[in-house]
Amino acid sequence: MKENVRKNLLWLIISVAIIVFSAVMAYYLERDFGKIDIQFINLIAPSGDTITAKLYRPEWVTAENPAPGIINMHGYQNDKDVQAGYSIELARRGFVVLATDGLGHGDSGGGFNFGMFFGNPPAAMGTGVGYEYLRSLPFVDANKMGATGHSMGGVTSFALAGLYG
């Protein structure tokens, strides 16, 4: 019986070690082993609701060496973390990326309202606030801005282009 307990304990220790190793590797892979800085951002929409976002910035990007900015928007039943793979890859390629939770999605407040794409004031599901924030950062080249997204995020990208293009 004692040998069975020892085997189970050994497997438990091995399993926990694998989990810890995997978590540490995921952390470093997400940050491209220290080459990408990721920050959580909270913005306020014109409605007063909070918009949450993640900012992905290559470490070499500074005010003296600015990079283009990209808003990366999720699909209808998703949030900013679903776009993490794209955001990380864009940051690896030299872009500053802001992945936002649209109003009524993820950690953002408010509710979904299709009229918010081109409403009064035009908000593009709150992404317009993210766009303005990203443009204001000293390490972002405000003359080189872009937008991308999946599904509803693609519609939001077109809305941003209509509002700011």
Side-chain angles (χ1 to χ4, degrees), residues 84-101:
Y86 300 111
S87 298
I88 292 164
E89 187 59 32
L90 288 167
R92 285 180 181 157
R93 293 174 185 252
F95 297 93
V96 177
V97 181
L98 185 69
T100 62
D101 278 341

Side-chain angles (χ1 to χ4, degrees), residues 18-79:
I18 290 171
I19 290 169
V20 169
F21 175 77
S22 298
V24 169
M25 286 304 297
Y27 175 85
Y28 284 106
L29 283 170
E30 181 180 41
R31 286 155 178 79
D32 198 19
F33 294 93
K35 296 177 189 169
I36 298 171
D37 177 48
I38 301 173
Q39 297 177 9
F40 288 90
I41 307 293
N42 286 317
L43 306 169
I44 304 298
S47 63
D49 295 308
T50 300
I51 298 170
T52 60
K54 275 187 175 179
L55 180 69
Y56 299 80
R57 181 185 59 84
E59 288 287 338
W60 55 267
V61 173
T62 63
E64 295 77 31
N65 189 25
I70 296 180
I71 292 284
N72 188 6
M73 185 65 183
H74 60 80
Y76 178 67
Q77 294 183 352
N78 301 125
D79 66 4

Side-chain angles (χ1 to χ4, degrees), residues 71 117-118 122-124 127-128 131 135 145-148 153-165:
I71 292 284
F117 281 104
F118 298 104
T127 309
Y131 181 84
R135 279 180 59 183
M145 297 290 293
T148 187
V155 173
T156 305
S157 297
F158 283 112
L160 279 174
L163 296 171
Y164 296 99

